[in-house]
Amino acid sequence: MAVWTATQMATPEPRAPGSLRRTLLLYLGTLLAVFAVALLFAARSYGQRAANRSYDHLLLSSALSIADSVALVDGQWQVDLPYAALDLLSMAPEDRVFYRVTDSQGRLITGYGDLPTPPPHTGGAPQLFDAAYSGEQVRFAVVRHSFASASAQGEVRVQVGQTRRAREALAQDMVNRSLLAIGVLSALLLALVAFGVHRAFLPLVRMERELSRREPSDLKPLDVRVPREMDQMVAALNRFMGRLSSSNETLRAFMADAAHQMRTPLAALRAQAQLALDDDDPQDMRRSLQSIERNATHMSRLLNQLLSDASVIHRANLHEFAPVDLAEVVHQALHEALPQAGPARRVQLAISDVPVRVNGDALLLREAIKNLVDNALKYAPDGPLQIALTVDGTEAVLTIADHGPGIAAADAGRVFERFARGEHAPAGGAGLGLPIVKRVIDGHDGHIDLCNRPQGGLVATIRLPRRAA
């Protein structure tokens, strides 16, 4: 046999719900952080491109200036190097500048002979590339210049390079400035988001304050201005408080009715018990005890009907409907309502061959039919009980007919009121049976009608909407 310890049987505690405010701030803050990082990378890329464009322009200008200073005189190359072009590049003190001038066969005319060879390039457009030289990354610009005269012609290639320190420093400076701007902007946006979240939750705070100031019995609808997104929540809360108020009113009415209805039988019980205690004659004492038993039975029936009425009200408010086979409900109600002891009652039952299904609460419908059968048995204790379940178009029709005294015209309008009893009502009733039936049928969007039979007796007709097949 397995033995379970307390630790094994313990269930994990449910996690506490997180803060909605913190969740919003976390998600929005994360979005801002991702946006800020994306902006930072974009700023870095832009800074590098801008620095490269600026210094590439200087490199090309210097190369072109040097190319313009080359001349071909009597078949000899002469270079009048414009140092101002190189000085322009050396304005960045941390950078070094390199140059080389070669002819079309690659022979060195002047400059650094060991500069990296440019990659293959077609066309006459200037060429830009990066290469390692003298232990550093160097940016090079290459331009070609052709010469033609009456005595000779030729072409020179000018290559000018500059280390990348200045341009990287410029790019970093742009990134730093962008980072400062992004940081300030992100802080402002985060503060704005926090303020917006705070403002968005103000209606909830107002609702909380209004509810906390209310008395427990104050269930009137909330009158708070809220955003459109909260309209449905406030409407649902108001509907809930309306249902709760209705339930409270029903409970108060039930307690008041129960106290009122139980007071008289209790007083009679006490009086009869006192008489029984004072009586010395056994016959008188026996009659007092019989009266006590009758009143106790009446109180028990009254209490059962009060509890049944409260149960019907509660389940009607829940409105938990499902497909119901009305024929099966009728059979169950008859089984519970007909007395099991004593002589069997004659019941003529006719049920349609067509399936009779409705949408409703089987327990409530059974309780309503039981009350009608119970009434018929009490008012017509000797005659047969006739029950028929038929279909009339889109309606299910249930009729319960007895052979009793019927209903007086003066009572027809008030028999559905609570604690109201008809002229020919037998003793012991509480006047709750028909009101329970009425409440159940109305809750199922049906209709109940009472009419007298020409040959004597009462016919109760219930009409309920049929469930579509």
Side-chain angles (χ1 to χ4, degrees):
M1 182 181 295
V3 178
W4 295 91
T5 64
T7 304
Q8 289 173 324
M9 296 179 62
T11 57
E13 294 184 359
R15 294 180 58 187
S19 167
L20 187 59
R21 186 190 304 271
R22 184 166 59 248
T23 301
L24 285 174
L25 289 176
L26 176 62
Y27 278 99
L28 292 174
T30 301
L31 180 62
L32 284 177
V34 171
F35 181 66
V37 171
L39 278 181
L40 181 60
F41 277 102
R44 182 178 179 83
S45 176
Y46 173 77
Q48 289 176 345
R49 290 198 305 270
N52 281 334
R53 283 196 300 268
S54 300
Y55 280 93
D56 285 349
H57 181 70
L58 291 177
L59 275 177
L60 289 173
S61 298
S62 298
L64 290 172
S65 297
I66 294 174
D68 288 340
S69 67
V70 179
L72 183 61
V73 180
D74 297 331
Q76 298 293 324
W77 295 103
Q78 294 182 359
V79 180
D80 185 11
L81 193 64
Y83 289 99
L86 298 179
D87 288 341
L88 187 61
L89 291 174
S90 63
M91 289 176 62
E94 66 273 16
D95 275 331
R96 291 186 296 163
V97 179
F98 313 96
Y99 71 95
R100 180 175 65 182
V101 181
T102 58
D103 60 12
S104 57
Q105 282 76 36
R107 293 188 294 267
L108 181 65
I109 298 176
T110 184
Y112 296 80
D114 59 346
L115 293 183
T117 303
H121 181 68
T122 59
Q127 182 182 4
L128 293 165
F129 67 95
D130 292 298
Y133 180 70
S134 188
E136 295 187 74
Q137 280 294 113
V138 181
R139 181 74 166 173
F140 290 99
V142 180
V143 297
R144 292 171 176 81
H145 191 59
S146 299
F147 298 91
S149 62
S151 58
Q153 61 181 4
E155 183 184 74
V156 294
R157 185 169 61 184
V158 179
Q159 181 175 347
V160 180
Q162 183 186 25
T163 54
R164 302 185 60 89
R165 298 177 185 176
R167 67 179 66 207
E168 290 179 357
L170 177 60
Q172 188 61 43
D173 181 65
M174 296 178 68
V175 170
N176 292 340
R177 294 176 182 272
S178 300
L179 181 61
L180 177 62
I182 292 172
V184 173
L185 181 62
S186 298
L188 292 175
L189 287 176
L190 188 60
L192 183 61
V193 166
F195 178 73
V197 170
H198 171 73
R199 293 283 298 176
F201 279 96
L202 281 181
L204 287 177
V205 175
R206 288 197 294 267
M207 287 175 57
E208 176 189 2
R209 290 175 180 171
E210 179 174 344
L211 290 174
S212 62
R213 288 195 298 262
R214 286 189 175 189
E215 295 294 330
S217 59
D218 187 0
L219 294 174
K220 66 176 182 293
L222 285 172
D223 186 16
V224 180
R225 294 185 60 185
V226 295
R228 288 191 301 271
E229 292 78 7
M230 293 177 60
D231 281 342
Q232 293 185 355
M233 183 188 74
V234 174
L237 183 59
N238 286 336
R239 288 194 298 270
F240 169 75
M241 290 196 296
R243 294 195 302 271
L244 185 59
S245 177
S246 176
S247 297
N248 288 347
E249 289 297 328
T250 302
L251 179 59
R252 281 193 288 268
F254 170 78
M255 294 176 64
D257 291 339
H260 175 73
Q261 294 296 322
M262 301 294 285
R263 185 180 294 114
T264 301
L266 279 174
L269 276 176
R270 292 185 61 187
Q272 290 159 357
Q274 187 65 42
L275 285 175
L277 289 174
D278 294 340
D279 282 337
D280 295 329
D281 186 358
Q283 293 298 326
D284 292 340
M285 186 179 298
R286 181 178 179 81
R287 282 192 295 271
S288 296
L289 290 176
Q290 289 174 343
S291 298
I292 291 175
E293 192 274 336
R294 283 196 303 272
N295 276 288
T297 302
H298 172 64
M299 285 183 61
S300 177
R301 186 182 299 112
L302 174 61
L303 183 59
N304 287 334
Q305 284 197 311
L306 285 170
L307 292 175
S308 175
D309 187 36
S311 176
V312 166
I313 294 173
H314 173 69
R315 292 186 66 89
N317 288 333
L318 293 179
H319 206 77
E320 295 178 349
F321 286 179
V324 174
D325 185 348
L326 200 55
E328 182 179 351
V329 173
V330 170
H331 281 102
Q332 292 175 354
L334 281 174
H335 176 74
E336 295 179 11
L338 292 176
Q340 303 300 315
R345 292 298 304 269
R346 282 194 303 145
V347 178
Q348 300 172 357
L349 181 62
I351 295 182
S352 171
D353 295 333
V354 179
V356 184
R357 300 179 66 84
V358 298
N359 197 44
D361 188 316
L363 180 62
L364 292 181
L365 291 172
R366 185 168 71 245
E367 192 68 25
I369 297 172
K370 279 173 54 181
N371 276 280
L372 287 176
V373 173
D374 185 63
N375 271 1
L377 294 177
K378 285 192 298 185
Y379 282 87
D382 300 324
L385 184 64
Q386 298 172 329
I387 300 177
L389 178 61
T390 59
V391 172
D392 182 12
T394 60
E395 291 182 327
V397 182
L398 175 66
T399 59
I400 300 176
D402 60 43
H403 291 75
I407 185 172
D411 296 333
R414 65 185 189 91
V415 290
F416 292 116
E417 298 176 4
R418 301 176 79 226
F419 306 111
R421 308 195 65 206
E423 180 182 351
H424 303 290
L432 287 174
L434 288 178
I436 290 175
V437 175
K438 176 68 171 174
R439 183 178 291 109
V440 171
I441 301 305
D442 288 347
H444 286 75
D445 297 327
H447 177 72
I448 181 170
D449 180 61
L450 302 178
C451 64
N452 292 321
R453 294 169 40 155
Q455 64 272 31
L458 181 70
V459 179
T461 304
I462 295 176
R463 292 180 175 271
L464 295 171
R466 288 181 63 200
R467 178 179 171 85

